[in-house]
Amino acid sequence: MGRFNAGVVNWARMYDCYSDVDRVPELLALVEREDDAEAWTELGYRLVLEHDLLSLAGLASLPRLVRLAEGSTQARHLAGAIMERAASHHDGDEQLADSAEVIAEFGALLDRHLQTRPADYLVTFRALLAVREQYHWANVLGDFADDFYELACPHCTVEVTIAIGGHGRYAAIRDWHLGDIERRDLRPSPAEELSGVGRWMYEIAVRDGEAVLAEGISHLFGKAECPGCGSVFTIADEYEAANCPVLR
């Protein structure tokens, strides 16, 4: 289970989101004995918060959650939520580094689960992105049913809305009264031209038969024409440059 052994965690130093140190180990022991819905709910509140906040107890809980994740949806989702916040400020860099083997094990588990084409595919996909330290995409990637990304044109700095979903696949200027105007069709990237994380995301989606997700990724990592100045830019590069967290 890696160098970060759950048995040697000093829980007296592992504060949860309520600033307690004793409740999380009690709850973990409870869910290890039985699938207790109330205990899982309380664990979620104590280990992670909205707005990318994560408690030290969340990082300390990873090995025990991963141990349960093969047979527990709650454990898998909670461990994924912890990983998605791993780039936040939590003063737990040492715990995170020491849990490298646990995280790798979790990644393998998530990949196996994806190949079963589960109902929670996107949740699992995002967790796997976080395991691969793609924290930005883990937190913003949608299902491309109705997704919008706001970014500034790198050439004229006009605010551009990128739509990928049921309303279309376009770049536009968003007007308060008129909606999306001056629309320009997006230019999806051909599969052979994708590289880096975009290629990896696309290939996983194709492997698992997730056609809508794969098509959305090809557009997200494709190009857009600015409605303001007519310049062409790579959507993912500009969006990531403006929003990607700085890793310590």
Side-chain angles (χ1 to χ4, degrees):
M1 188 55 77
R3 289 187 297 133
F4 188 32
N5 191 311
V8 297
V9 172
N10 181 6
W11 287 104
R13 298 175 55 241
M14 301 300 163
Y15 290 93
D16 64 25
C17 294
Y18 295 167
S19 297
D20 295 329
V21 296
D22 54 351
R23 184 58 177 158
V24 166
E26 292 176 358
L27 291 167
L28 287 171
L30 177 56
V31 297
E32 285 169 344
R33 293 194 303 270
E34 59 182 292
D35 188 18
D36 188 294
E38 292 184 2
W40 280 117
T41 299
E42 186 178 348
L43 267 175
Y45 288 137
R46 288 183 176 275
L47 300 185
V48 298
L49 286 174
E50 300 296 332
H51 309 299
D52 301 327
L53 298 179
L54 174 65
S55 70
L56 285 175
L59 292 173
S61 299
L62 265 177
R64 293 169 73 171
L65 292 173
V66 171
R67 187 182 300 136
L68 294 170
E70 189 76 59
S72 169
T73 299
Q74 294 93 332
R76 189 173 64 250
H77 286 182
L78 188 49
I82 290 167
M83 287 306 307
E84 287 170 22
R85 292 160 173 80
S88 66
H89 296 288
H90 45 60
D91 296 324
D93 293 343
E94 182 179 352
Q95 289 96 317
L96 189 62
D98 284 349
S99 60
E101 292 182 26
V102 169
I103 293 171
E105 178 185 340
F106 186 46
L109 182 155
L110 292 170
D111 193 49
R112 291 194 300 272
H113 187 62
L114 285 176
Q115 294 179 64
T116 69
R117 303 185 182 184
D120 62 347
Y121 189 92
L122 183 61
V123 172
T124 307
F125 191 86
R126 288 169 59 142
L128 185 55
L129 279 167
V131 166
R132 293 177 64 92
E133 297 187 359
Q134 295 295 328
Y135 302 113
H136 168 65
W137 296 118
N139 281 276
V140 303
L141 189 71
D143 60 4
F144 298 112
D146 190 20
D147 291 7
F148 295 92
Y149 300 85
E150 307 292 336
L151 51 83
C153 170
H155 301 282
C156 70
T157 70
V158 69
E159 289 297 317
V160 180
T161 294
I162 303 294
I164 309 176
H167 288 288
R169 300 170 181 84
Y170 57 80
I173 303 297
R174 178 151 291 180
D175 183 273
W176 182 260
H177 299 290
L178 301 177
D180 292 342
I181 60 175
E182 302 294 335
R183 298 186 181 190
R184 305 287 190 274
D185 288 341
L186 300 182
R187 307 174 188 182
S189 176
E192 63 273 12
E193 294 182 12
L194 286 167
S195 61
V197 65
R199 185 179 186 88
W200 176 83
M201 291 165 66
Y202 179 84
E203 289 179 347
I204 291 293
V206 169
R207 179 198 71 184
D208 298 337
E210 295 288 330
V212 174
L213 183 61
E215 184 180 10
I217 291 167
S218 72
H219 282 80
L220 181 60
F221 285 82
K223 296 186 182 298
E225 177 185 344
C226 174
C229 68
S231 63
V232 176
F233 56 87
T234 301
I235 299 164
D237 287 351
E238 298 307 319
Y239 190 77
E240 188 171 16
N243 296 282
C244 189
V246 176
L247 302 183
R248 299 178 302 282

